[in-house]
C-alpha cells in the first residue's frame, strides 16, 4: 500500500502531532505541505483545518482520529493504551487540551504574538493581559498533571504527543515562559520529552522575519 500522507503545515501544532505519531511508530510517511483551506485540505476536512491524512484510498481529518487510525493500523508502541483506565485518561487529556487549553494558550495567547492584529503591527497588550490569568491557571493544571512524569498514567502516550508542540511555542513568550518556570514539573517534563527523536525530527522551521 502507498505510504501515509500527512497533509498540512510544518509549523502547525496539530500537523506536528500527526507526524510525531508516525515517527514514534516508525510509520513511513510523507509530509505534503498544504495550508488550511487550500483545495487539498478542504477536499478532506469540512472546515479546512490541518492536518488531513491520506493512506491509499482512505482519507481522514482531525488529528485525534488520524492518531487513532495510525495507532490501530501499524505495529510499534501503542500510543493510545489498551487498558481501559489508561486509555480513558489519555482521551481525557487530549480532550482537555483540544477543547480548552489550545484555545487559551495557542489561538488566543500565542496568536496575539505571532499574528499581531494591532494597527501598529504590535501584539495587542490588553488581549494578552486579559488572557494571562487563564493562561496561568491552565499551565498550572498541566504542571500538576506532569508531576507523575506523563500527562496520562505512568507511561508515554498520545496525550503527551498532543501537548508537546504547544509547549514548544510557549517557551518563547514571556508570560507563558514565566508560568512554566514557576511550576516544578512542567519544565523538566518538557525538557525530557523534547529529547525524543519524534520531537526532534518534526521541529518546525523558524518563523519568517518580520
Ligand atoms: N480539531 C482539529 C484542529 C486542527 C486545527 O485547528 N488546525 C489549525 C492549524 S494548527 C488550522 O488548520 N487552522 C486553520 C483554521 O482553523 O481555519 C484537529 O485536531 O486536527
Amino acid at each position: 500500500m502507498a505510504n501515509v500522507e500527512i497533509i498540512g503545515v510544518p509549523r502547525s501544532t496539530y500537523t506536528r502531532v500527526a507526524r510525531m505519531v508516525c515517527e514514534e511508530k516508525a510509520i513511513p510517511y510523507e509530509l505534503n505541505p498544504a495550508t488550511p483551506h487550500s483545495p487539498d485540505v478542504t477536499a478532506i476536512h469540512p472546515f479546512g483545518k490541518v492536518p488531513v491524512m491520506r493512506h491509499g484510498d482512505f482519507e481522514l481529518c482531525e488529528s485525534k482520529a488520524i492518531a487513532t487510525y495510525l495507532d490501530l493500523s501499524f505495529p510499534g508502541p501503542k500510543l493510545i493504551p489498551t487498558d481501559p483506565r489508561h486509555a480513558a485518561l489519555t482521551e481525557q487529556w487530549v480532550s482537555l487540551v483540544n477543547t480548552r487549553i489550545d484555545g487559551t494558550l495557542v489561538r488566543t495567547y500565542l496568536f496575539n504574538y505571532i499574528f499581531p492584529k494591532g494597527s501598529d503591527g504590535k501584539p495587542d497588550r490588553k488581549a494578552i493581559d486579559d488572557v494571562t490569568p487563564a493562561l496561568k491557571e491552565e499551565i498550572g493544571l498541566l504542571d500538576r498533571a506532569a508531576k507523575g512524569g506523563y500527562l496520562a498514567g505512568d507511561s508515554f502516550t498520545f496525550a503527551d504527543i498532543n501537548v508537546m508542540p504547544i509547549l514548544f511555542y510557549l517557551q518563547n513568550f514571556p508570560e507563558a515562559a514565566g508560568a512554566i518556570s514557576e511550576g516544578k514539573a512542567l519544565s523538566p517534563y518538557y525538557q525530557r520529552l523534547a529529547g525524543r527523536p519524534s520531537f526532534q525530527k518534526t521541529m518546525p522551521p523558524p518563523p519568517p522575519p518580520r
Side-chain angles (χ1 to χ4, degrees):
M1 188 184 263
N3 274 358
V4 167
E5 288 173 62
I6 303 293
I7 301 159
V9 201
R11 287 196 183 95
S12 137
T13 52
Y14 285 111
T15 301
R16 190 175 186 187
V17 161
R19 296 176 66 203
M20 284 177 68
V21 169
C22 292
E23 296 287 351
E24 287 286 341
K25 294 182 75 79
I27 299 170
Y29 77 100
E30 291 153 28
L31 172 67
N32 290 342
T35 52
H37 309 287
S38 60
D40 283 355
V41 175
T42 51
I44 301 177
H45 196 300
F47 308 129
K49 292 177 190 275
V50 294
V52 296
M53 185 211 79
R54 186 177 296 112
H55 185 211
D57 62 1
F58 184 56
E59 295 177 332
L60 196 61
C61 65
E62 290 290 307
S63 57
K64 171 59 174 54
I66 293 169
T68 300
Y69 172 75
L70 296 173
D71 202 35
L72 291 172
S73 306
F74 288 88
K78 290 301 283 177
L79 299 172
I80 301 169
T82 48
D83 170 75
R85 291 186 181 191
H86 202 185
L89 284 172
T90 303
E91 192 75 40
Q92 169 191 282
W93 277 105
V94 171
S95 188
L96 288 170
V97 168
N98 290 2
T99 64
R100 172 71 174 253
I101 294 174
D102 174 73
T104 305
L105 301 187
V106 179
R107 314 292 137 187
T108 307
Y109 175 70
L110 279 177
F111 277 23
N112 249 296
Y113 277 111
I114 298 172
F115 306 116
K117 290 208 182 84
S119 51
D120 54 1
K122 295 208 172 114
D124 179 344
R125 192 63 247 170
K126 182 177 177 329
I128 292 170
D129 290 344
D130 286 351
V131 79
T132 296
L135 171 140
K136 287 184 177 170
E137 188 187 327
E138 292 175 22
I139 288 179
L141 177 70
L142 291 173
D143 187 75
R144 289 191 295 283
K147 278 193 179 117
Y150 300 96
L151 274 196
D154 60 359
S155 64
F156 182 78
T157 68
F158 179 67
D160 300 302
I161 290 179
N162 193 55
V163 82
M164 282 296 290
I166 297 177
L167 296 179
F168 169 77
Y169 284 122
L170 289 179
Q171 312 285 323
N172 300 319
F173 298 95
E175 298 79 8
I180 291 171
S181 64
E182 264 172 37
K184 286 202 166 59
L186 199 55
S187 183
Y189 163 91
Y190 174 79
Q191 297 303 336
R192 185 167 46 86
L193 297 193
R196 293 180 83 90
S198 66
F199 191 74
Q200 293 299 324
K201 285 184 188 163
T202 56
M203 220 30 108
R210 288 199 172 272

